[in-house]
Each structure stands twice: as C-alpha cells, then as structure tokens.
Amino acid sequence: ILDASTLGKIEISGKDVVTFLNRVYTNDWSKLDVGKIKYGLILKEDGMVFDDGTTTRLNEDKYLMTTTTGNAALVLDWLEEWLQTEWPELDVSLTSVTDHWAVVTLSGPKSKDVILKLNPEKNNEIENLTFMSYKSIKILGIECRVFRISFTGELSYEINIPWPYATFLWKKLLEVGKDYNITPYGTETMHVLRAEKGFPIIGQDTDGTISPIELGMNSLLSKKDFIGKRSLSRNYESKKYFVGFKTLNPNIIIPEGSQIFKLDR
C-alpha cells in the first residue's frame, strides 16, 4: 500500500479537450472512450521530455490528467500559458485538484482481494474493472474514483478519495489486509519496482535534455502536430540512450549518481 497523493491532478473540461490533448501530448487522443485511461508524454518546444502521466476520460467533456509530483504546478502553469496566449479559441478549462483527492495505491497479486474484502457489496464493479480503465465506486459509503492502473508492473488499483477520508480508508485497508501481510511501501521501493519493469521516472531519469527517442519511447510519437515535433526533426546525432544495468552480484547495490566508465585492461 502506497500514499500517492502528491501526484499532480488537473481536471480538464470543455468541448475542445481532445484537440487540446492532441497538441500537448505526443500521442493521439482521438479515440479514448469514457472510463478509459491513456499514458501520455509531454515535450517542451525544444523536443525534450518535460513530463508524463496518465489522462482519464471521466465523462463526455471532462478528463483528469495526472502529472509527476515535482512538476504538478509547472505543468498547470505551462498548459495555461498555451491556452491563454496561443490557443484562446479552444473551449478548454483547467482546474488543479491535486489537494482535493488523496490517492491510496494497492499493488500486488492480492490487491483485488483486499478491496473486495473491504467492500463486498461492490464486488462486480471491482471484478469488471479492466486494465487502464476507471470507475466511480462507493467504498465504505464514500464516493471514490478507482483506477485500474500500475506503475509497479504488478496488479494495482489507485483509489482516489476526498482528502478528509484518506486516513480512515488507509487504516481500514491495513486492517482488512492483515491476512495478506499487507505493508506500506515508499518511493524508494517504487523506484526499484518500476525500474525492473522498465518504466522511466521523468525528472529523475531525465534532466530536461533527453528526447523521447533517447528514452526509447519512439512508439509514442504520432504523425499529428504536437508541441516539440518540429524540434525532433532536427538533424543531430545523439549518443545518449536510456538503458538498464544489472550487477553480476545481486548483493552489490550501485549508489545513485555513480559514474559508469570503461576500464582498459
């Protein structure tokens, strides 16, 4: 169980949201159904990776964008700048709801069992929740947003609950999860899990000078026009690539920030 409340959350509403998302994300958002979730990558004008996250279609004209924790305010400010100075004709409004919703994430093979034990009368709604989909579900009588999404590579559920009820839900989940040896985990553990899965963390694995091509995320570059696309067409040779290393001895842990170089023997 993880407290993921610090993730940035921006509600986007209006009849031109799809057009807006297609311009700010590198991938195509024309066919996202209501209740579905999609991962997106945001570039700056220079073509370098700025932020990433998921966006969920809550209803016909309302979406929820998540951002990295460190860039929550920066992304909102940046999106507002584009809306107000470049695309004022778009019917789109942005609302920061980062502090409205607390996020409790359950991960692991038994995560679904824990939720079902907590909320047996809603079993069908949880059972029918497919990967990368969302549903508004009452848990313990409280209206929650439940997202079937994972940053660990394991079966995972992100429960968004109005912040005044967060501690209540957290304690209840720990209580019903005792039979499954539930345990809280933090960002260091999350970093290891996502690294094993091959998921990058924008802002930690990137520094504002990394392109999506260097990250190995070419598949997220659509043919449509998006912010940063023109810069990606520049002819330059990059020798940076995002790769994973595994030590021969698993007991050896390489400290973060270590330099890697080749020895001539």
Side-chain angles (χ1 to χ4, degrees):
I1 185 171
L2 168 74
D3 178 6
S5 304
T6 56
L7 288 174
K9 308 171 199 71
I10 304 170
E11 284 190 359
I12 311 174
S13 57
K15 64 181 179 64
D16 294 323
V17 174
V18 174
T19 300
F20 177 67
L21 293 176
N22 274 332
R23 293 179 183 180
V24 298
Y25 279 129
T26 63
N27 43 337
D28 187 26
W29 292 79
S30 302
K31 298 180 180 180
L32 186 66
D33 295 330
V34 173
K36 294 300 182 181
I37 308 168
K38 197 169 186 177
Y39 174 81
L41 194 66
I42 299 177
L43 309 183
K44 279 293 189 74
E45 299 95 320
D46 59 4
M48 301 304 166
V49 176
F50 174 37
D51 203 72
D52 73 337
T54 60
T55 291
T56 305
R57 191 171 189 178
L58 301 177
N59 57 43
E60 196 64 30
D61 294 324
K62 192 173 186 179
Y63 294 68
L64 178 69
M65 174 190 284
T66 64
T67 72
T68 57
T69 296
N71 279 341
L74 292 174
V75 170
L76 178 64
D77 181 68
W78 188 71
L79 296 178
E80 281 286 11
E81 182 179 345
W82 279 93
L83 273 177
Q84 295 181 33
T85 63
E86 302 297 329
W87 310 319
E89 75 283 359
L90 294 183
D91 178 14
V92 175
S93 61
L94 308 174
T95 305
S96 174
V97 293
T98 300
D99 56 357
H100 293 46
W101 298 89
V103 182
V104 180
T105 300
L106 285 173
S107 298
K110 300 295 183 180
S111 54
K112 182 167 67 172
D113 298 333
V114 174
I115 300 180
L116 294 180
K117 192 173 179 182
L118 182 71
N119 218 50
E121 69 274 13
K122 299 292 182 181
N123 279 5
N124 288 337
E125 294 185 68
I126 297 294
E127 289 280 6
N128 296 331
L129 198 61
T130 56
F131 182 57
M132 295 300 278
S133 63
Y134 138 88
K135 197 169 185 63
S136 180
I137 300 174
K138 276 195 174 182
I139 297 179
L140 299 172
I142 305 164
E143 199 70 43
C144 298
R145 293 171 172 175
V146 182
F147 301 81
R148 171 79 191 283
I149 193 171
S150 177
F151 192 53
T152 62
E154 287 280 2
L155 175 66
S156 185
Y157 296 84
E158 290 187 3
I159 305 173
N160 285 26
I161 186 168
W163 71 265
Y165 304 103
T167 303
F168 170 69
L169 175 65
W170 180 273
K171 290 180 178 178
K172 283 293 184 180
L173 287 170
L174 287 177
E175 184 181 318
V176 300
K178 283 182 180 178
D179 295 339
Y180 305 95
N181 295 321
I182 194 171
T183 184
Y185 71 98
T187 53
E188 288 300 322
T189 301
M190 181 189 70
H191 288 177
V192 172
L193 292 169
R194 64 88 197 177
E196 291 175 344
K197 188 65 178 177
F199 296 152
I201 292 184
I202 306 304
Q204 176 163 323
D205 299 320
T206 66
D207 60 0
T209 64
I210 303 293
S211 76
I213 298 170
E214 293 163 339
L215 272 181
M217 304 179 88
N218 310 52
S219 61
L220 290 179
L221 303 178
S222 71
K223 294 181 180 179
K224 64 179 178 63
D225 287 329
F226 54 82
I227 297 173
K229 183 175 183 177
R230 181 182 177 187
S231 296
L232 291 177
S233 65
R234 294 174 302 176
N235 292 321
Y236 73 97
E237 183 179 353
S238 173
K239 296 188 177 181
K240 293 186 294 186
Y241 296 96
F242 185 62
V243 299
F245 283 93
K246 187 175 181 180
T247 56
L248 295 175
N249 182 350
N251 294 319
I252 296 176
I253 299 175
I254 302 175
E256 188 171 335
S258 297
Q259 299 296 309
I260 298 174
F261 55 92
K262 182 180 179 181
L263 287 176
D264 293 324
R265 296 181 181 276

